[in-house]
Amino acid sequence: MAALPDADDGWLPGARRAPSPNHGPRPAGVQPWLVVLHSISLPPGEYGGPWIERLFTNTLDWDAHPYFQDIRGLEVSAHFLIRRDGECVQFVALDRRAWHAGRSSWQGHENCNDFSVGIELEGLEGDTFTDAQYAALAALLAALRPRLPALHAVAGHEHVAPGRKRDPGPGFDWARLIRLTGWPAAWFASKAPGQPPTQEKPGDMDRAGG
């Protein structure tokens, strides 16, 4: 993911497009200044299948796996997904409000969806992430900067919804991401290095438009 952003339509040419219907307008005059990092796997702990994209595009077969009954009818999205191999998929244009953070706040501002870009990492909270994902994430953040000049903060879902969410979790290496981006450490919610995988139960997903 090394391409520069397309300033015309809010879609990055270096990302594969998989448009989601789950989005809405940002509040008038609001420019995104926060990135919220998430982790997701469907079914939990299984990687590489089509299910995340189908969930975000409202095409998931709820009967394809028993776990899907627990999230039946869910309507969610993120702006981007970074797969385990580093592939970057974009679901929502940057000027639109994706449905990823739910009930949340950061630095005294409520409803993070209004002013954030949501990036999902294919993974499980408590598990580690791949070298390809860190490289792709750093490249994606670098590509966002020219498009989003107000951008100055990066947090996890666990930081904007503490006590309710735990992703991307202790396996995510914040210190590594800071080194890769070269951005000021003060922009990041955490400076902690990643930890070995632990046996954590996946958290529940946010509901539509939250």
Side-chain angles (χ1 to χ4, degrees):
M1 169 75 210
L4 291 176
D6 184 338
D8 294 328
D9 63 1
W11 295 84
L12 302 192
R16 177 167 60 82
R17 295 191 188 192
S20 170
N22 302 328
H23 59 83
R26 296 190 186 275
V30 171
Q31 297 296 319
W33 54 267
L34 170 68
V35 167
V36 178
L37 300 180
H38 306 256
S39 61
I40 185 172
S41 57
L42 284 180
E46 296 186 18
Y47 304 140
W51 312 118
I52 299 172
E53 289 186 40
R54 292 183 183 176
L55 175 65
F56 287 173
T57 56
N58 294 352
T59 59
L60 182 62
D61 179 358
W62 307 111
D63 298 319
H65 188 278
Y67 175 77
F68 298 161
Q69 295 301 316
D70 294 339
I71 59 172
R72 179 182 284 272
L74 196 67
E75 294 183 346
V76 290
S77 63
H79 290 90
F80 299 96
L81 167 69
I82 298 178
R83 292 280 194 179
R84 302 295 286 184
D85 63 1
E87 181 190 21
C88 185
V89 185
Q90 185 171 2
F91 297 94
V92 177
L94 292 171
D95 59 350
R96 302 290 289 177
R97 180 184 186 275
W99 300 347
H100 62 96
R103 189 173 67 257
S104 55
S105 65
W106 191 241
Q107 297 180 352
H109 299 269
E110 301 292 326
N111 300 318
C112 291
N113 284 347
D114 290 346
F115 51 85
S116 69
V117 172
I119 300 176
E120 296 273 3
L121 300 169
E122 186 178 22
L124 187 66
E125 57 194 49
D127 202 352
T128 56
F129 299 87
T130 68
D131 292 345
Q133 285 180 298
Y134 284 106
L137 176 57
L140 174 56
L141 293 177
L144 290 177
R145 282 286 289 150
R147 181 72 174 86
L148 305 174
L151 180 61
H152 68 271
V154 183
H157 204 184
E158 61 196 300
H159 301 115
V160 303
R164 190 174 68 85
K165 294 295 180 178
R166 297 182 296 174
D167 59 307
F172 185 77
D173 195 332
W174 289 91
R176 180 177 184 179
L177 182 61
I178 292 170
R179 292 194 304 271
L180 287 172
T181 61
W183 290 2
W187 288 12
F188 295 82
S190 175
K191 304 172 184 63
Q195 301 298 313
T198 59
Q199 297 299 315
E200 293 193 33
K201 181 181 178 181
D204 63 311
M205 295 182 182
D206 281 312
R207 294 287 159 177

